[in-house]
Amino acid sequence: MASPLDNLISHLSRLPGIGERTATRLAFYLLRTSPAFREGFAQSIQNLSQIHLCSQCSTVTDKDPCAICTSHVRLHDVICVVEKPSDIYSIERLHSYQGLYHVLHGLLSPMEGVAPSDLRLPQLFTRLSQQPPKELILALSPTVEGDATSSYITKQLAPQTSAGRLSITRLASGLPIGSDLEFADQITLGKAFEARTRLS
Amino acid sequence: MASPLDNLISHLSRLPGIGERTATRLAFYLLRTSPAFREGFAQSIQNLSQIHLCSQCSTVTDKDPCAICTSHVRLHDVICVVEKPSDIYSIERLHSYQGLYHVLHGLLSPMEGVAPSDLRLPQLFTRLSQQPPKELILALSPTVEGDATSSYITKQLAPQTSAGRLSITRLASGLPIGSDLEFADQITLGKAFEARTRLS
């Protein structure tokens, strides 16, 4: 029978990026924290079982609709489309986006056999027809799959955009801020040239 | 009221070396693990409250005496003195040491006012007089405090060692294996020269 400490170390070292040494260090740290902190920590892990998908935007939530979908201070006429729930956390950390989200839970990939119906794309189109927003921001990764998904969405919504009822935008691609041009890959550099912006 | 996921992220980011981004990544990973794994993980955190110090060697344990002190396959006439319980984990990972341990819970430091009675030194001397081992290995860090503590222990046990009843050893200092001599600090290099060993 393993000791509580060994048991904790074995659980911690199952987490990604945490080896046995780090797990040991974390376990000894936890041993020095207050019982109240540990109780809250354990509870927060157990409470993950309350999490399901928001029926409106498909993000992970313990309420339905989620806190973002029901927020009165957010803009309900802008929807940002993301691949996965954790992307919402990345964007929320910016504290600058004020609209709603829609999580696809994947990207289109003919190579891997991921079709529109495998993603939350039907739900997106239903949502857009029921509550048409002014802007749809495609915040998908600048990869083959991300681009394919963006193209598909844009094509499906062509009637709305050409009628001027909906504006579809996507995140800019280019050189990462603080990076050295010398180390930029050819494709990124090419995109950065194409999408160059006027300074004055 | 924070969501279960936010609550977990906030607990994870309180751990040393884990920032908000890593905490988010870990929380989403945990969300994908089985409820059974999460239950075991939560339980292992809660079970830390069962941990106390072994009355014989002062390490952290849920039994008393601890599993090492009561082991029938370990050598009971060799005691390795360490600064803290986690040092035992470092040494046990080697799978080569087979003796017992004694945890001091700190090192002597006149500068910071740490005296022998602040550490588990009285307990060490009592233990040595009741069950005298053949060898005492001082596995303390090669620092001013570690050296001071080693000297103090050696001095206190002079009667036993000069009578040939006890052998006191300490871990070797020198160049770390795989390191480049060019980057060794002066003191380490000096010690390595002093403690040079014959090749044939």
Side-chain angles (χ1 to χ4, degrees):
Chain A
M1 202 188 69
S3 85
L5 207 53
D6 292 328
N7 201 359
L8 177 59
I9 292 169
S10 116
H11 277 89
L12 284 167
S13 48
R14 285 265 304 272
L15 302 182
I18 295 188
E20 203 186 334
R21 283 173 67 138
T22 307
T24 306
R25 194 167 51 84
L26 292 176
F28 275 99
Y29 176 86
L30 279 166
L31 191 57
R32 291 195 304 272
T33 58
S34 71
F37 174 80
R38 293 201 298 263
E39 192 49 48
F41 189 12
Q43 202 72 55
S44 72
I45 294 170
Q46 288 164 326
N47 286 349
L48 288 185
S49 56
Q50 300 168 5
I51 286 182
H52 50 82
L53 299 187
C54 171
S55 59
Q56 187 171 326
C57 75
S58 299
T59 193
V60 289
T61 175
D62 59 324
K63 300 191 197 71
D64 193 25
C66 73
I68 292 179
C69 282
T70 53
S71 166
H72 294 299
V73 294
R74 300 192 72 112
L75 305 171
H76 283 240
D77 53 2
V78 185
I79 296 177
C80 177
V81 178
V82 295
E83 177 189 346
K84 49 193 187 299
S86 56
D87 294 335
I88 296 182
Y89 278 77
S90 303
I91 297 172
E92 286 298 290
R93 265 199 288 274
L94 301 175
H95 297 292
S96 65
Y97 176 66
Q98 290 297 320
L100 306 184
Y101 291 96
H102 192 90
V103 183
L104 297 181
H105 289 278
L107 294 172
L108 289 180
S109 171
M111 293 284 283
E112 292 178 27
V114 182
S117 58
D118 296 323
L119 307 178
R120 297 266 163 165
L121 276 169
Q123 290 85 342
L124 173 64
F125 297 129
T126 307
R127 182 179 173 191
L128 294 180
S129 66
Q130 289 171 348
Q131 294 189 307
K134 282 186 190 152
E135 184 179 357
L136 192 70
I137 303 173
L138 304 180
L140 306 174
S141 300
T143 59
V144 174
E145 290 80 14
D147 289 350
T149 312
S150 293
S151 299
Y152 176 83
I153 295 173
T154 310
K155 202 171 284 176
Q156 293 291 311
L157 297 172
Q160 288 90 318
T161 46
S162 58
R165 291 196 305 270
L166 175 70
S167 155
I168 302 183
T169 57
R170 61 175 295 172
L171 298 192
S173 284
L175 302 174
I177 304 299
S179 68
D180 193 320
L181 194 138
E182 189 181 344
F183 301 117
D185 64 282
Q186 292 293 308
I187 299 171
T188 301
L189 193 55
K191 292 271 182 196
F193 257 95
E194 274 175 43
R196 66 192 180 278
T197 53
R198 195 176 291 276
L199 274 178
S200 62
Chain B
M1 203 186 69
S3 85
L5 207 54
D6 292 330
N7 201 358
L8 177 58
I9 292 170
S10 116
H11 277 91
L12 284 167
S13 49
R14 285 265 305 273
L15 302 182
I18 296 188
E20 204 186 334
R21 282 172 67 138
T22 306
T24 306
R25 194 167 52 83
L26 293 176
F28 274 100
Y29 176 84
L30 279 166
L31 191 56
R32 291 194 304 272
T33 59
S34 70
F37 174 81
R38 294 201 297 263
E39 191 50 47
F41 188 12
Q43 203 72 53
S44 72
I45 294 170
Q46 286 165 327
N47 286 348
L48 288 185
S49 56
Q50 300 168 5
I51 285 181
H52 50 83
L53 299 187
C54 171
S55 60
Q56 186 172 325
C57 75
S58 299
T59 194
V60 289
T61 176
D62 58 325
K63 300 190 196 72
D64 194 25
C66 73
I68 292 179
C69 282
T70 54
S71 166
H72 295 299
V73 294
R74 301 192 72 112
L75 305 171
H76 284 241
D77 54 1
V78 186
I79 296 177
C80 177
V81 179
V82 295
E83 178 189 346
K84 50 193 187 298
S86 57
D87 294 335
I88 295 183
Y89 278 76
S90 303
I91 296 171
E92 286 297 293
R93 266 197 288 273
L94 301 176
H95 296 293
S96 65
Y97 177 66
Q98 290 297 322
L100 307 183
Y101 291 95
H102 193 91
V103 183
L104 297 180
H105 289 278
L107 294 172
L108 289 179
S109 171
M111 294 283 283
E112 292 177 28
V114 182
S117 58
D118 296 323
L119 307 178
R120 297 266 163 164
L121 277 168
Q123 289 86 340
L124 173 65
F125 298 129
T126 307
R127 182 180 173 189
L128 295 180
S129 65
Q130 288 172 349
Q131 295 188 305
K134 283 186 189 154
E135 185 179 358
L136 193 69
I137 303 171
L138 305 179
L140 306 173
S141 300
T143 58
V144 174
E145 290 79 13
D147 289 349
T149 312
S150 292
S151 299
Y152 176 82
I153 294 173
T154 309
K155 203 171 284 175
Q156 293 292 311
L157 297 172
Q160 287 90 316
T161 47
S162 57
R165 292 196 304 271
L166 176 70
S167 156
I168 302 183
T169 57
R170 61 176 294 172
L171 298 193
S173 284
L175 302 175
I177 305 299
S179 68
D180 192 322
L181 195 140
E182 188 180 345
F183 301 118
D185 64 281
Q186 292 293 307
I187 298 171
T188 300
L189 193 55
K191 291 272 183 194
F193 256 95
E194 273 175 45
R196 64 191 181 279
T197 53
R198 194 175 292 273
L199 273 178
S200 61

